[in-house]
Amino acid sequence: MNILLIDDHALFREGLKFLLRSLDAALDVDEASDCTRALEHAAKRAYDLVLLDLKMPGVAGLDALAALRDAIPEAPLVVLSGEDSPGVVRAAIERGAMGFIPKSSTPEILIQALRLVLARGVYLPPAVLDGGRAAAAPEAASPGSTAALPGLTPRQMDVLRCVIQGKPNKLIARELEVSEHTVKAHLSSVLRALDARSRTEAVYAAAKMGLRLA
């Protein structure tokens, strides 16, 4: 498994690399202290997971997130941040993050959250999802497990997967080889099934339901 870890604090990176070993015996971690270096890594190899701190020198925050989503669209991206206000979490999800893990999380929550994301689930802080109840470790996800929503076709589930990955309609249409009009129609069905009014609400709903879209 190849992971790209982007954080400007060397001590934090070293500690996190130690924890990440439990994810895969053959783990290979590339480190970057800023977005520019991260993009250089991304141009040279593929990654299974990208971990990003929002506060860094140079290009940072949501701009860094957007740049990395464009450079590595196939890899799930997880934000690791010391700031976890609902507004920041929502903005990160809107720009394609598949997880948001506060740096105050326990090692157990961190690893279980990453396993969930690697299984194509979405992890959001419990305080954001349930109004502040105490955080608990997310359920372990079985890689490759899938979930379906009653009334949705496999193609509509494909659209939901792409939405969770932060892909715009134009890119979804190209990937699924359908028209943008068809994507919009499928997306409307997805939003109705999740009782959501927007893409972001759909991602939040998927996280609450524990959907994993392999």
Side-chain angles (χ1 to χ4, degrees):
M1 179 189 299
N2 298 327
I3 294 180
L4 178 57
L5 172 56
I6 311 156
D7 192 289
D8 62 327
H9 292 93
L11 187 60
F12 178 80
R13 295 198 306 269
E14 285 301 314
L16 188 55
K17 283 195 300 179
F18 177 80
L19 292 175
L20 292 174
R21 292 175 189 169
S22 62
L23 289 175
D24 192 307
L27 185 69
D28 189 5
V29 179
D30 284 335
E31 301 176 55
S33 58
D34 55 47
C35 185
T36 300
R37 181 58 179 155
L39 293 172
E40 290 174 357
H41 281 304
K44 297 176 182 177
R45 70 185 306 187
Y47 291 99
D48 301 295
L49 180 66
V50 178
L51 305 179
L52 171 68
D53 179 19
L54 290 180
K55 291 188 176 180
M56 298 182 298
V59 179
L62 300 177
D63 290 336
L65 195 162
L68 288 160
R69 286 264 28 92
D70 289 341
I72 322 174
E74 69 285 352
L77 186 151
V78 175
V79 170
L80 301 173
S81 178
E83 182 180 359
D84 60 351
S85 68
V88 172
V89 175
R90 179 174 288 271
I93 295 302
E94 286 176 345
R95 286 159 179 78
M98 285 183 65
F100 194 108
I101 306 175
K103 286 187 173 180
S104 58
S105 300
T106 66
E108 179 188 18
I109 289 176
L110 170 72
I111 294 302
Q112 295 290 4
L114 293 180
R115 285 179 176 154
L116 177 61
V117 171
L118 287 168
R120 291 305 187 265
V122 178
Y123 178 79
L124 298 175
V128 172
L129 288 178
D130 61 18
R133 288 199 296 266
E139 292 184 5
S142 301
S145 62
T146 58
L149 288 171
L152 290 187
T153 67
R155 183 44 58 95
Q156 288 164 347
M157 291 298 293
D158 287 339
V159 170
L160 176 56
R161 171 180 53 81
C162 291
V163 167
I164 286 175
Q165 293 171 347
K167 296 176 180 177
N169 287 355
K170 188 173 184 178
L171 182 56
I172 295 174
R174 187 185 315 141
E175 181 175 313
L176 300 183
E177 298 182 341
V178 297
S179 69
E180 287 190 57
H181 178 76
T182 299
V183 170
K184 290 178 181 178
H186 286 330
L187 182 56
S188 294
S189 297
V190 168
L191 294 179
R192 283 196 299 272
L194 291 171
D195 193 24
R197 293 171 295 179
S198 67
R199 286 166 165 259
T200 305
E201 286 190 7
V203 175
Y204 273 57
K208 287 181 179 179
M209 297 172 67
L211 288 179
R212 296 192 292 276
L213 305 168

